[in-house]
Short mmCIF file of all heavy atoms in Angstrom, two decimals:
data_model
loop_
_atom_site.label_atom_id
_atom_site.label_comp_id
_atom_site.label_asym_id
_atom_site.label_seq_id
_atom_site.Cartn_x
_atom_site.Cartn_y
_atom_site.Cartn_z
N LEU A 790 13.37 4.00 0.00
CA LEU A 790 14.61 4.67 0.52
C LEU A 790 15.09 4.05 1.81
O LEU A 790 16.28 4.23 2.10
CB LEU A 790 14.24 6.16 0.58
CG LEU A 790 13.92 6.82 -0.73
CD1 LEU A 790 13.40 8.25 -0.42
CD2 LEU A 790 15.21 6.96 -1.60
N ARG A 791 14.21 3.59 2.60
CA ARG A 791 14.59 3.03 3.98
C ARG A 791 14.74 1.45 3.95
O ARG A 791 14.99 0.82 4.93
CB ARG A 791 13.57 3.43 5.00
CG ARG A 791 13.34 4.84 5.18
CD ARG A 791 12.36 5.23 6.23
NE ARG A 791 11.87 6.61 6.20
CZ ARG A 791 11.05 7.20 6.98
NH1 ARG A 791 10.59 6.46 7.99
NH2 ARG A 791 10.68 8.41 6.83
N MET A 792 14.53 0.87 2.77
CA MET A 792 14.68 -0.59 2.58
C MET A 792 13.74 -1.33 3.57
O MET A 792 14.14 -2.26 4.20
CB MET A 792 16.17 -0.98 2.83
CG MET A 792 17.17 -0.43 1.77
SD MET A 792 18.83 -1.04 1.92
CE MET A 792 19.35 -0.13 3.46
N ILE A 793 12.56 -0.93 3.48
CA ILE A 793 11.48 -1.59 4.18
C ILE A 793 10.82 -2.60 3.32
O ILE A 793 10.46 -2.33 2.18
CB ILE A 793 10.42 -0.59 4.74
CG1 ILE A 793 11.01 0.41 5.76
CG2 ILE A 793 9.21 -1.26 5.39
CD1 ILE A 793 10.18 1.47 6.17
N ASP A 794 10.61 -3.80 3.79
CA ASP A 794 9.96 -4.90 3.01
C ASP A 794 8.42 -4.71 3.00
O ASP A 794 7.73 -4.99 4.01
CB ASP A 794 10.32 -6.27 3.70
CG ASP A 794 9.81 -7.37 2.82
OD1 ASP A 794 9.13 -7.16 1.83
OD2 ASP A 794 10.02 -8.55 3.22
N LEU A 795 7.96 -4.18 1.94
CA LEU A 795 6.49 -3.99 1.84
C LEU A 795 5.67 -5.19 1.80
O LEU A 795 4.49 -5.13 2.28
CB LEU A 795 6.20 -3.17 0.50
CG LEU A 795 6.56 -1.68 0.53
CD1 LEU A 795 6.48 -1.08 -0.86
CD2 LEU A 795 5.80 -0.91 1.50
N SER A 796 6.26 -6.29 1.49
CA SER A 796 5.43 -7.56 1.44
C SER A 796 5.09 -8.02 2.86
O SER A 796 4.22 -8.95 2.99
CB SER A 796 6.21 -8.64 0.76
OG SER A 796 7.38 -9.11 1.46
N GLN A 797 5.72 -7.42 3.89
CA GLN A 797 5.46 -7.86 5.27
C GLN A 797 4.88 -6.79 6.09
O GLN A 797 4.87 -6.81 7.35
CB GLN A 797 6.73 -8.36 5.87
CG GLN A 797 7.36 -9.56 5.20
CD GLN A 797 6.43 -10.71 5.11
OE1 GLN A 797 5.87 -11.15 6.14
NE2 GLN A 797 6.28 -11.28 3.95
N HIS A 798 4.36 -5.76 5.44
CA HIS A 798 3.68 -4.61 6.09
C HIS A 798 2.26 -4.47 5.49
O HIS A 798 2.02 -4.82 4.36
CB HIS A 798 4.42 -3.32 5.94
CG HIS A 798 5.72 -3.25 6.75
ND1 HIS A 798 6.80 -4.07 6.43
CD2 HIS A 798 6.02 -2.58 7.85
CE1 HIS A 798 7.75 -3.81 7.28
NE2 HIS A 798 7.31 -2.94 8.27
N TYR A 799 1.36 -3.86 6.24
CA TYR A 799 0.05 -3.41 5.58
C TYR A 799 0.08 -1.91 5.58
O TYR A 799 0.81 -1.28 6.25
CB TYR A 799 -1.11 -3.99 6.39
CG TYR A 799 -1.46 -3.38 7.72
CD1 TYR A 799 -2.30 -2.20 7.78
CD2 TYR A 799 -1.04 -3.92 8.88
CE1 TYR A 799 -2.66 -1.65 9.00
CE2 TYR A 799 -1.45 -3.33 10.11
CZ TYR A 799 -2.18 -2.21 10.14
OH TYR A 799 -2.60 -1.64 11.40
N MET A 800 -0.69 -1.34 4.61
CA MET A 800 -0.81 0.10 4.54
C MET A 800 -2.20 0.55 5.04
O MET A 800 -3.23 0.05 4.82
CB MET A 800 -0.78 0.46 2.99
CG MET A 800 -0.75 1.97 2.80
SD MET A 800 -0.70 2.43 1.03
CE MET A 800 -2.31 2.16 0.63
N LEU A 801 -2.03 1.61 5.87
CA LEU A 801 -3.17 2.28 6.46
C LEU A 801 -3.44 3.56 5.64
O LEU A 801 -2.44 4.27 5.25
CB LEU A 801 -2.87 2.68 7.88
CG LEU A 801 -3.95 3.27 8.77
CD1 LEU A 801 -4.98 2.23 9.06
CD2 LEU A 801 -3.31 3.92 9.96
N SER A 802 -4.69 3.80 5.31
CA SER A 802 -5.03 4.94 4.48
C SER A 802 -6.26 5.64 5.05
O SER A 802 -7.23 4.97 5.48
CB SER A 802 -5.23 4.53 3.01
OG SER A 802 -5.81 5.65 2.29
N THR A 803 -6.24 6.97 4.97
CA THR A 803 -7.48 7.67 5.34
C THR A 803 -8.42 7.87 4.23
O THR A 803 -9.57 8.40 4.41
CB THR A 803 -7.13 9.07 5.93
OG1 THR A 803 -6.42 9.81 5.02
CG2 THR A 803 -6.31 8.92 7.19
N GLY A 804 -7.97 7.56 2.99
CA GLY A 804 -8.83 7.78 1.82
C GLY A 804 -9.71 6.67 1.38
O GLY A 804 -9.46 5.51 1.79
N ARG A 805 -10.68 6.95 0.62
CA ARG A 805 -11.55 5.93 0.06
C ARG A 805 -10.68 5.08 -0.95
O ARG A 805 -9.72 5.56 -1.46
CB ARG A 805 -12.80 6.61 -0.69
CG ARG A 805 -13.70 7.25 0.25
CD ARG A 805 -14.78 8.03 -0.44
NE ARG A 805 -14.22 9.10 -1.24
CZ ARG A 805 -14.86 9.89 -2.10
NH1 ARG A 805 -16.16 9.60 -2.27
NH2 ARG A 805 -14.31 10.81 -2.74
N GLN A 806 -11.12 3.87 -1.23
CA GLN A 806 -10.35 3.02 -2.07
C GLN A 806 -11.09 2.55 -3.33
O GLN A 806 -11.66 1.50 -3.41
CB GLN A 806 -9.91 1.74 -1.27
CG GLN A 806 -9.13 2.12 -0.01
CD GLN A 806 -7.77 2.62 -0.37
OE1 GLN A 806 -7.00 2.06 -1.12
NE2 GLN A 806 -7.42 3.80 0.28
N PRO A 807 -11.03 3.35 -4.40
CA PRO A 807 -11.39 2.82 -5.66
C PRO A 807 -10.42 1.96 -6.26
O PRO A 807 -9.34 1.78 -5.72
CB PRO A 807 -11.63 4.10 -6.47
CG PRO A 807 -10.64 5.07 -5.88
CD PRO A 807 -10.58 4.73 -4.43
N ALA A 808 -10.69 1.45 -7.42
CA ALA A 808 -9.74 0.49 -8.05
C ALA A 808 -8.32 1.15 -8.27
O ALA A 808 -7.28 0.56 -8.15
CB ALA A 808 -10.28 0.00 -9.49
N TYR A 809 -8.37 2.44 -8.62
CA TYR A 809 -7.08 3.16 -8.84
C TYR A 809 -6.22 3.13 -7.66
O TYR A 809 -4.98 2.90 -7.75
CB TYR A 809 -7.47 4.56 -9.26
CG TYR A 809 -6.21 5.49 -9.36
CD1 TYR A 809 -5.19 5.31 -10.32
CD2 TYR A 809 -6.14 6.58 -8.52
CE1 TYR A 809 -4.15 6.17 -10.40
CE2 TYR A 809 -5.06 7.48 -8.60
CZ TYR A 809 -4.06 7.18 -9.56
OH TYR A 809 -3.02 8.10 -9.60
N MET A 810 -6.76 3.37 -6.50
CA MET A 810 -5.89 3.45 -5.24
C MET A 810 -5.46 2.05 -4.81
O MET A 810 -4.35 1.82 -4.48
CB MET A 810 -6.79 4.03 -4.14
CG MET A 810 -7.07 5.53 -4.25
SD MET A 810 -5.60 6.45 -3.93
CE MET A 810 -5.46 6.32 -2.20
N VAL A 811 -6.33 1.03 -4.99
CA VAL A 811 -5.99 -0.35 -4.70
C VAL A 811 -4.84 -0.85 -5.55
O VAL A 811 -3.86 -1.51 -5.09
CB VAL A 811 -7.16 -1.31 -4.84
CG1 VAL A 811 -6.76 -2.74 -4.65
CG2 VAL A 811 -8.20 -0.93 -3.68
N THR A 812 -4.94 -0.51 -6.87
CA THR A 812 -3.94 -0.98 -7.86
C THR A 812 -2.57 -0.30 -7.50
O THR A 812 -1.58 -0.98 -7.67
CB THR A 812 -4.40 -0.53 -9.24
OG1 THR A 812 -5.70 -1.14 -9.52
CG2 THR A 812 -3.34 -1.00 -10.29
N LYS A 813 -2.54 0.92 -7.03
CA LYS A 813 -1.20 1.61 -6.72
C LYS A 813 -0.55 0.76 -5.59
O LYS A 813 0.61 0.44 -5.65
CB LYS A 813 -1.53 2.99 -6.22
CG LYS A 813 -1.89 4.01 -7.27
CD LYS A 813 -2.26 5.36 -6.81
CE LYS A 813 -1.08 6.10 -6.37
NZ LYS A 813 -0.23 6.61 -7.54
N ALA A 814 -1.29 0.36 -4.59
CA ALA A 814 -0.76 -0.45 -3.48
C ALA A 814 -0.32 -1.83 -3.96
O ALA A 814 0.77 -2.32 -3.56
CB ALA A 814 -1.81 -0.56 -2.39
N ALA A 815 -1.12 -2.43 -4.87
CA ALA A 815 -0.73 -3.77 -5.32
C ALA A 815 0.47 -3.73 -6.20
O ALA A 815 1.28 -4.68 -6.06
CB ALA A 815 -1.98 -4.29 -6.13
N ARG A 816 0.73 -2.66 -6.98
CA ARG A 816 1.91 -2.62 -7.77
C ARG A 816 3.12 -2.60 -6.89
O ARG A 816 4.22 -3.07 -7.35
CB ARG A 816 1.83 -1.40 -8.67
CG ARG A 816 0.87 -1.55 -9.89
CD ARG A 816 1.26 -0.35 -10.85
NE ARG A 816 0.33 -0.33 -12.02
CZ ARG A 816 -0.64 0.56 -12.13
NH1 ARG A 816 -0.79 1.55 -11.11
NH2 ARG A 816 -1.49 0.57 -13.13
N ALA A 817 3.01 -1.97 -5.64
CA ALA A 817 4.16 -1.90 -4.79
C ALA A 817 4.35 -3.21 -4.01
O ALA A 817 5.26 -3.34 -3.29
CB ALA A 817 3.91 -0.68 -3.83
N GLY A 818 3.36 -4.16 -4.21
CA GLY A 818 3.52 -5.37 -3.46
C GLY A 818 2.98 -5.42 -2.05
O GLY A 818 3.33 -6.26 -1.25
N ILE A 819 2.11 -4.47 -1.77
CA ILE A 819 1.47 -4.36 -0.36
C ILE A 819 0.37 -5.38 -0.27
O ILE A 819 -0.62 -5.38 -1.10
CB ILE A 819 0.99 -2.92 -0.10
CG1 ILE A 819 2.18 -1.91 -0.16
CG2 ILE A 819 0.25 -2.97 1.19
CD1 ILE A 819 1.75 -0.50 -0.05
N PRO A 820 0.38 -6.28 0.74
CA PRO A 820 -0.64 -7.39 0.82
C PRO A 820 -1.93 -7.03 1.38
O PRO A 820 -2.92 -7.72 1.21
CB PRO A 820 0.15 -8.45 1.64
CG PRO A 820 1.03 -7.61 2.51
CD PRO A 820 1.49 -6.49 1.74
N LEU A 821 -2.00 -5.94 2.18
CA LEU A 821 -3.24 -5.57 2.87
C LEU A 821 -3.34 -4.00 2.89
O LEU A 821 -2.37 -3.38 3.27
CB LEU A 821 -3.30 -6.12 4.26
CG LEU A 821 -4.61 -6.00 5.05
CD1 LEU A 821 -4.76 -7.25 6.00
CD2 LEU A 821 -4.64 -4.77 5.88
N VAL A 822 -4.50 -3.48 2.65
CA VAL A 822 -4.79 -2.10 2.74
C VAL A 822 -5.99 -1.94 3.67
O VAL A 822 -7.00 -2.56 3.49
CB VAL A 822 -5.09 -1.46 1.37
CG1 VAL A 822 -5.57 0.03 1.60
CG2 VAL A 822 -3.93 -1.53 0.48
#
């Protein structure tokens, strides 16, 4: 909605990262979690 380029940002998360969570980020094109 804000036209932010996800490919040039990393995502910070407070949650544990099983495959399901990592895959969600990867589908959005996020390069680092």
Side-chain angles (χ1 to χ4, degrees):
L790 296 170
R791 302 182 194 183
M792 293 184 290
I793 295 171
D794 185 357
L795 284 172
S796 71
Q797 300 302 309
H798 289 71
Y799 75 87
M800 187 180 74
L801 186 70
S802 172
T803 56
R805 295 172 295 174
Q806 298 296 309
Y809 171 64
M810 290 287 288
V811 170
T812 301
K813 287 174 78 70
R816 285 196 187 105
I819 297 171
L821 186 150
V822 174

